[in-house]
Amino acid sequence: MLKRVLIANRGEIALRIIRACRELDVETVAVWSEADESALHAQLATRSLCIGPAKAADSYLNQDAILSAALASKCDAVHPGYGFLSENPDFADRCVQAGLKYIGPSGDVIRRLGSKAAARMLAQSAGVPVVPGSDGPLKNARQARTLAQQVGCPVLLKASAGGGGRGMRQADSPEEVDKAFQEARAEAVACFGDGELYLEKLVVNPRHIEFQIMADTQGHVVHLGERDCSIQRRRQKLVEESPSKALTPALREEMGRAAVAAAKAAGYVGAGTVEFVLAPDGRFYFIEMNTRIQVEHPVTELVTGIDLVKEQLRVASGLPLSFAQEDIQVSGHAIECRINAEDPERDFMPCPGTTAFLHLPGGPGVRVDTALYTGYEVPPYYDSLVAKVLSHGSTRLEAIRRMRRALEELIIEGYPTNASLAHLIMHDPQFVRGRYDTGFLDQNLVRLLELARTCDRLMEEES
């Protein structure tokens, strides 16, 4: 087993990794920027080191500083978490070259799957269905326009190196392709330093279904069931649940086999997620594979009872998976709501600030992953995610009711959050019936925000 791990991340995921390491008697080294000197991950790790100024480019994205910290503190491995350098193949390569274990797939695999165009071609070679579109990167807008005419609009122009909904534009007609191409490429260059694009036909009103996989160095690849991530705003996930009401047992088995086939074709090792869109007609298509632990991984942990971060550490130590496919049993239902420091009334503008008061929910079937504490100042330099509230129940309805209770108990004072919106989603008839798709928030956001304002007004009148 690994002896000492440097965590190249911050916030709740850094804490999550520290906790898993502590239970395995693995020492941890936290790195922090000047903005995170008082952050919990810097306080709870075995050792912590400052690696630079607040700006991410000078700290959490500074490969030289992170590698220097790992070597100076005599670590034998680096865990990248999610975001930042977690899908950077050059960083993975540099860790290995420095004599460190990289807790994740190899740089070559990240490179192969990090290009969405290349990943699409790899999935095709493994017999996994893909959305009709380009067979590789687009050369120019003219090629994109011609292809849009062939596959039929609407289409999506997507950054090959993209993620999180960035570097992506929709074109509803061939005439809109040129503008969408230029905008997507500009955003891709700004966000990822790579303007390569590909095109896919847009599947209208799909479900977004992802399968969690784990693979070891002995060639074993196992999937741990699916997560339904269809509640999104601008292609950013807000609510995730497992299992999905949209899947039949037969479809679940078919999609799980496809996820494993894609991972095997890539020579994958570690934790990863194979993402699909599920069309209204029941057909599913591969869209990408994320080569890291996901924000929503606790959903899978709650329904399978498997600690995915511990499993990552085992695999990085050269040990085989602690389970086989036939050992995976999904028990009950789990839901995650992402709580962000943002104001839904102002187009979800990030709202960092000081946490004046914090009360976290508890009780049966409730889990909260967060790095917040009363008095903690949420810095303006990083992602606005401040907490993940999860519920687990024997049935989906019980999980929904527990989530309602948990969100009612949650108190975060000092800045706006989207917690009230999440609470309203848990009461929405479409969500409760499980009859929703990726267009849910686009179609219902105005109504939900008006309902939130009405609730606030009534509460003020009562008080």
Side-chain angles (χ1 to χ4, degrees):
M1 180 58 71
L2 300 170
K3 299 299 183 184
R4 185 176 297 162
V5 174
L6 181 135
I7 302 164
N9 218 295
R10 65 178 300 278
E12 66 85 16
I13 189 59
L15 282 182
R16 173 73 186 86
I17 298 165
I18 288 170
R19 288 165 176 157
C21 287
R22 183 166 292 176
E23 291 180 19
L24 293 173
D25 290 325
V26 176
E27 294 182 357
T28 53
V29 175
V31 293
W32 47 274
S33 72
E34 292 175 356
D36 274 339
E37 184 175 3
S38 61
L40 275 181
H41 76 280
Q43 299 177 50
L44 296 183
T46 311
R47 182 181 179 187
S48 64
L49 298 168
C50 180
I51 53 168
K55 190 177 177 182
D58 299 326
S59 51
Y60 298 108
L61 292 174
N62 187 333
Q63 297 186 33
D64 291 336
I66 290 171
L67 290 170
S68 295
L71 295 173
S73 56
K74 298 181 180 179
C75 290
D76 49 4
V78 173
H79 196 309
Y82 56 72
F84 293 128
L85 295 170
S86 64
E87 293 183 285
N88 186 309
D90 296 334
F91 181 64
D93 287 343
R94 291 189 64 185
C95 287
V96 174
Q97 291 162 6
L100 299 161
K101 292 276 189 182
Y102 179 77
I103 302 177
S106 69
D108 287 342
V109 170
I110 297 173
R111 215 169 266 112
R112 197 176 307 136
L113 295 171
S115 166
K116 303 302 188 289
R120 171 188 167 85
M121 296 175 70
L122 185 145
Q124 285 179 297
S125 71
V128 179
V130 299
V131 180
S134 56
D135 291 329
L138 296 166
K139 296 178 181 178
N140 48 48
R142 182 188 303 171
Q143 182 190 11
R145 190 167 59 251
T146 300
L147 192 57
Q149 292 171 330
Q150 292 173 357
V151 302
C153 287
V155 296
L156 282 178
L157 281 302
K158 304 172 74 174
S160 290
R166 295 177 177 87
M168 186 184 302
R169 290 294 185 276
Q170 179 176 333
D172 295 320
S173 68
E175 292 73 29
E176 296 180 14
V177 169
D178 284 13
K179 181 182 178 184
F181 184 93
Q182 300 302 332
E183 291 180 353
R185 184 169 62 178
E187 188 171 54
V189 170
C191 293
F192 313 113
D194 184 349
E196 185 176 272
L197 303 177
Y198 68 105
L199 179 145
E200 285 182 347
K201 181 175 176 62
L202 177 64
V203 179
V204 180
N205 297 327
R207 299 286 279 248
H208 186 147
I209 308 292
E210 61 184 27
F211 272 74
Q212 177 70 55
I213 65 100
M214 281 295 308
D216 61 24
T217 54
Q218 285 77 30
H220 305 118
V221 182
V222 174
H223 79 79
L224 294 90
E226 83 281 2
R227 298 185 290 257
D228 194 322
C229 306
S230 303
I231 302 293
Q232 305 177 5
R233 185 189 70 85
R234 296 176 183 170
R235 301 186 176 88
Q236 300 267 353
K237 301 167 187 173
L238 293 179
V239 177
E240 300 98 352
E241 63 175 314
S242 182
S244 171
K245 276 188 68 69
L247 270 57
T248 63
L251 183 55
R252 179 172 293 111
E253 184 176 346
E254 185 181 0
M255 293 179 76
R257 284 198 306 267
V260 169
K264 285 183 175 179
Y268 201 85
V269 172
T273 307
V274 183
E275 306 211 7
F276 301 97
V277 288
L278 177 64
D281 62 6
R283 288 186 290 182
F284 67 91
Y285 305 96
F286 171 90
I287 51 173
E288 64 179 328
M289 184 168 182
N290 291 305
T291 55
R292 52 175 165 77
I293 197 78
Q294 292 277 85
V295 174
E296 59 272 19
H297 76 272
V299 174
T300 297
E301 292 182 329
L302 288 176
V303 295
T304 63
I306 292 172
D307 188 317
L308 292 172
V309 178
K310 283 186 182 179
E311 208 64 31
Q312 284 186 295
L313 296 167
R314 283 178 52 86
V315 168
S317 300
L319 298 172
L321 293 177
S322 61
F323 49 83
Q325 190 65 65
E326 56 268 23
D327 299 322
I328 303 302
Q329 300 292 328
V330 172
S331 176
H333 198 97
I335 301 171
E336 174 181 287
C337 289
R338 300 190 190 192
I339 308 303
N340 300 320
E342 61 187 14
D343 188 352
E345 291 286 359
R346 292 190 287 170
D347 196 28
F348 295 85
M349 183 179 74
C351 296
T354 300
T355 310
F357 179 79
L358 175 69
H359 179 268
L360 300 177
V366 174
R367 167 177 169 177
V368 182
D369 285 14
T370 184
L372 291 181
Y373 58 85
T374 298
Y376 174 69
E377 186 171 346
V378 178
Y381 309 101
Y382 316 115
D383 187 84
S384 62
L385 178 70
V386 292
K388 302 183 312 196
V389 178
L390 294 108
S391 65
H392 179 257
S394 57
T395 64
R396 185 171 184 268
L397 184 57
E398 183 175 54
I400 290 173
R401 286 173 171 164
R402 280 184 170 161
M403 179 59 77
R404 292 172 182 169
R405 170 178 65 78
L407 292 171
E408 287 161 7
E409 292 180 22
L410 176 68
I411 302 174
I412 302 175
E413 293 182 352
Y415 41 83
T417 74
N418 63 334
S420 294
L421 176 61
H423 187 245
L424 288 170
I425 291 172
M426 291 300 111
H427 286 82
D428 188 89
Q430 288 175 256
F431 179 81
V432 173
R433 296 186 184 110
R435 298 173 186 168
Y436 62 89
D437 54 46
T438 54
F440 172 84
L441 269 187
D442 287 340
Q443 299 158 10
N444 295 286
L445 183 58
V446 172
R447 176 179 60 82
L448 289 170
L449 291 179
E450 178 56 38
L451 184 57
R453 286 190 289 270
T454 300
C455 292
D456 290 343
R457 188 171 61 251
L458 290 174
M459 290 178 65
E460 289 177 3
E461 291 174 356
E462 289 180 1
S463 61

